[in-house]
């Protein structure tokens, strides 16, 4: 009977220790819950503050994208215009060279031009 009583007392001590550990764990969990609720509230407030900023940045991004597209179109138009100017320059340069050749040919064939050169 004493052995049984001793055994039950030991079991009772172990159960009390386990119960105390469970209570501590439960308290820490409940404390963590309140911190978690506070964190949750803070995060909800932060999200509420950031949503308008996000919307503003998205609209700015869309505006900048449309500006970039307009500028790309303008750059393409200027590039085509530049190519046209280059072709016109090449044509005028060829015309100039042709006219110079014609003038030089006329100068060489005309005896009158020789008299002018000697004067």
């Amino acid at each position: 009977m004493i052995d049984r009583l001793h055994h039950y007392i030991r079991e009772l001590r172990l159960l009390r220790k386990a119960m105390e550990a469970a209570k501590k764990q439960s308290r820490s969990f409940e404390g963590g819950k309140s911190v978690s609720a506070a964190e949750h509230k803070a995060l909800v407030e932060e999200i509420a503050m950031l949503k308008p900023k996000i919307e503003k940045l998205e609209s700015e991004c869309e505006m900048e994208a449309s500006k970039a597209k307009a500028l790309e179109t303008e750059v393409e138009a200027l590039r085509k215009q530049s190519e046209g100017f280059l072709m016109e320059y090449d044509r005028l340069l060829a015309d100039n060279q042709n006219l110079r050749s014609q003038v030089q040919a006329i100068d060489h064939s005309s005896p009158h031009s020789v008299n002018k050169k000697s004067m």
Side-chain angles (χ1 to χ4, degrees):
M1 183 117 162
I2 294 177
D3 283 338
R4 261 184 212 253
L5 190 59
H6 189 268
H7 175 70
Y8 288 131
I9 291 173
R10 264 197 268 172
E11 240 181 79
L12 184 60
R13 275 192 217 148
L14 289 173
L15 288 174
R16 282 185 181 165
K17 283 183 183 179
M19 194 158 103
E20 282 298 316
K23 281 183 182 179
K24 284 182 182 178
Q25 188 177 10
S26 174
R27 282 186 211 132
S28 69
F29 180 70
E30 286 175 1
K33 235 184 195 180
S34 66
V35 170
S36 189
E39 286 177 2
H40 178 67
K41 185 179 178 183
L43 289 173
V44 167
E45 289 174 359
E46 186 177 358
I47 288 171
M49 282 184 357
L50 291 175
K51 277 186 180 182
K53 288 181 182 178
I54 289 172
E55 290 171 359
K56 180 183 173 188
L57 289 173
E58 285 176 344
S59 68
E60 287 178 6
C61 181
E62 288 174 7
M63 286 177 19
E64 292 297 323
S66 66
K67 284 181 186 176
K69 187 167 180 101
L71 288 173
E72 286 175 1
T73 304
E74 188 177 340
V75 164
E76 183 64 24
L78 289 173
R79 186 185 61 78
K80 286 181 181 179
Q81 185 181 22
S82 172
E83 287 175 359
F85 286 153
L86 184 61
M87 288 176 24
E88 180 68 12
Y89 175 77
D90 288 342
R91 185 189 67 77
L92 290 173
L93 193 63
D95 283 351
N96 185 12
Q97 186 63 37
N98 186 19
L99 291 172
R100 284 180 186 263
S101 297
Q102 287 176 7
V103 167
Q104 198 173 24
I106 291 172
D107 281 347
H108 286 303
S109 67
S110 171
H112 183 64
S113 64
V114 173
N115 289 337
K116 282 185 179 178
K117 286 184 182 178
S118 56
M119 285 185 181

